[in-house]
Amino acid sequence: MAIVILSAYQPDETLVGIVNRLWETGSRNIVVDDGSGAEYRHIFDSIGDICTVLRHPENKGKGAAIKTALAYIKKEIGGREAVGVMDADGQHLTEDMWRLLDAAVNHKNTLVLGVRHMGKEMPLKSRWGNKITRTVFRLASGVKVSDTQTGLRAFGTELIPRLLAVEGERYEYETNVLLALTREGIAMEEVPIHTIYHDRENSCSHFRAFRDSLRIYKDILKFSLASLSAFALDYLAFAMFMAFLPRTAGWILAANVSARVISAFYNYSVNSLLVFRTGRKVRTAAGYFALAAVILLMNNLILQVFTQVFGLSVYPAKLLTEFALFVFSWLVQRFVIFRRL
């Protein structure tokens, strides 16, 4: 038997129709009332005999509601079932939910995503928001996902412990799930779906464009900010050393090495504790400082070429050098040193 989770905040009768259709097709359904209030209680009461209704006393957010349902499944149901998550506002078809559930049955240890067509029928803000998120997500994770904001997903119960450990309480949770599972090497399967929009502005959605976008992008941008702040520290330290040293090749080399050592210790600490959250470990430390040594050699070689061969001033030469090595350093850290084993 498949299990379907629906998170609902101040729903209308659409929710009743969705639950009825799911029940008729044989799924076990869990609806989370995410603090809708007393005036919406009759809607949840009307479906209480054909689904399990879990309640939040106050609005906690979509991510929190999904985790409440997952914790319930883990504790009260168990077994090896296919679990689906769909929106409660009528934007997903129940037949598409079942297509994803079937895919989850056939692809163990896989997150199945229902991906929407990004054509002109999609509201403009949703289309552009998804395009930006897809691009940033791919840069941050190295994984191409066609629809990072889809609310229609399915997976086996074997993924529940991992999903419960993912941070986030509101809409950022869904993006954090993608980031967390890609770090752990969990496969993703995409299934094309239909999507229904009630109007051009998608006004039925509770997504708050500014606040919830910040939540979504915050966890992605941490990857890039750590490297940029390390670069800033490296450049400032280099500039301070050069303010007191002669502009000869030997002293430029000494200043560059000293600045790189300072920024390397900083960058490793930030990456291990705050960005990739693997903690300081012998394996990651050895890998990181081996990379730092390689980059230091490349850094000095490129810097010398810019200053001695092309005759550039040390400051723009330093900027060009760091830019050239930024992407290489990031990819090695993301996919080799700080990968989740």
Side-chain angles (χ1 to χ4, degrees):
M1 178 183 292
I3 305 167
V4 178
I5 297 170
L6 298 101
S7 167
Y9 175 62
Q10 298 182 349
D12 56 23
E13 294 295 331
T14 301
L15 174 63
V16 179
I18 295 172
V19 174
N20 273 306
R21 288 192 294 275
L22 288 170
W23 178 72
E24 289 170 357
T25 55
S27 66
R28 179 170 181 174
N29 308 304
I30 300 173
V31 176
V32 182
D33 173 7
D34 189 26
S36 300
E39 62 185 297
Y40 294 89
R41 193 175 187 90
H42 69 281
I43 293 178
F44 296 99
D45 289 342
S46 69
I47 56 176
D49 58 337
I50 58 173
C51 71
T52 299
V53 178
L54 307 177
R55 301 184 189 276
H56 288 170
E58 58 185 23
N59 180 251
K60 294 183 178 181
K62 186 177 183 180
I66 292 173
K67 286 191 276 190
T68 292
L70 292 176
Y72 177 86
I73 294 170
K74 181 181 178 183
K75 180 180 179 181
E76 303 294 338
I77 300 177
R80 300 189 67 82
E81 309 285 352
V83 180
V85 179
M86 67 184 298
D87 292 341
D89 54 13
Q91 293 193 64
H92 299 140
L93 300 179
T94 54
E95 50 263 44
D96 282 334
M97 180 77 270
W98 275 102
R99 291 173 61 224
L100 265 70
L101 289 166
D102 288 340
V105 170
N106 295 322
H107 297 83
K108 298 298 183 183
N109 210 42
T110 298
L111 178 65
V112 183
L113 302 173
V115 298
R116 300 164 292 180
H117 176 61
M118 302 295 167
K120 293 183 178 180
E121 68 276 7
M122 176 179 283
L124 184 62
K125 67 176 183 180
S126 297
R127 190 162 69 248
W128 277 99
N130 212 309
K131 181 179 293 187
I132 293 170
T133 305
R134 289 201 317 270
T135 302
V136 176
F137 180 83
R138 187 172 186 180
L139 290 173
S141 68
V143 176
K144 181 180 179 180
V145 174
S146 301
D147 187 355
T148 57
Q149 297 177 349
T150 179
L152 193 68
R153 304 178 177 197
F155 45 87
T157 49
E158 68 275 5
L159 289 185
I160 287 180
R162 291 182 174 91
L163 297 174
L164 285 171
V166 174
E167 296 179 352
E169 300 298 308
R170 297 189 179 275
Y171 285 98
E172 80 277 10
Y173 173 75
E174 293 177 315
T175 304
N176 290 351
V177 164
L178 300 181
L179 287 168
L181 295 190
T182 54
R183 289 177 203 157
E184 297 183 25
I186 301 299
M188 295 188 190
E189 184 78 14
E190 296 188 349
V191 175
I193 62 170
H194 304 86
T195 306
I196 300 135
Y197 296 102
H198 298 280
D199 52 54
R200 295 298 299 171
E201 285 71 40
N202 196 21
S203 58
C204 65
S205 174
H206 292 288
F207 183 85
R208 298 163 297 183
F210 180 73
R211 185 184 302 179
D212 290 317
S213 292
L214 282 180
R215 290 177 181 272
I216 289 171
Y217 294 130
K218 171 178 66 69
D219 290 289
I220 296 177
L221 292 176
K222 283 194 300 185
F223 291 120
S224 300
L225 290 177
S227 295
L228 290 174
S229 62
F231 160 72
L233 177 62
D234 182 49
Y235 189 77
L236 288 173
F238 178 77
M240 289 179 62
F241 289 134
M242 290 310 303
F244 300 98
L245 297 174
R247 306 295 174 86
T248 62
W251 284 113
I252 291 175
L253 174 62
N256 197 40
V257 170
S258 299
R260 176 62 60 176
V261 169
I262 293 171
S263 65
F265 276 102
Y266 163 81
N267 190 237
Y268 172 71
S269 296
V270 173
N271 283 346
S272 60
L273 297 178
L274 300 179
V275 178
F276 300 103
R277 293 190 292 276
T278 58
R280 292 191 181 98
K281 300 177 181 178
V282 173
R283 180 186 66 81
T284 59
Y288 179 85
F289 288 106
L291 171 66
V294 171
I295 289 180
L296 180 60
L297 293 174
M298 296 171 65
N299 188 289
N300 282 295
L301 176 61
I302 296 171
L303 186 62
Q304 293 297 325
V305 169
F306 281 143
T307 56
Q308 303 303 314
V309 178
F310 293 104
L312 294 179
S313 172
V314 291
Y315 299 117
K318 178 68 172 174
L319 285 172
L320 290 172
T321 301
E322 295 299 334
F323 179 77
L325 293 173
F326 176 82
V327 175
F328 171 74
S329 175
W330 161 250
L331 290 173
V332 173
Q333 289 183 61
R334 169 65 184 82
F335 295 105
V336 180
I337 297 173
F338 293 106
R339 71 187 188 278
R340 296 298 179 99
L341 299 177

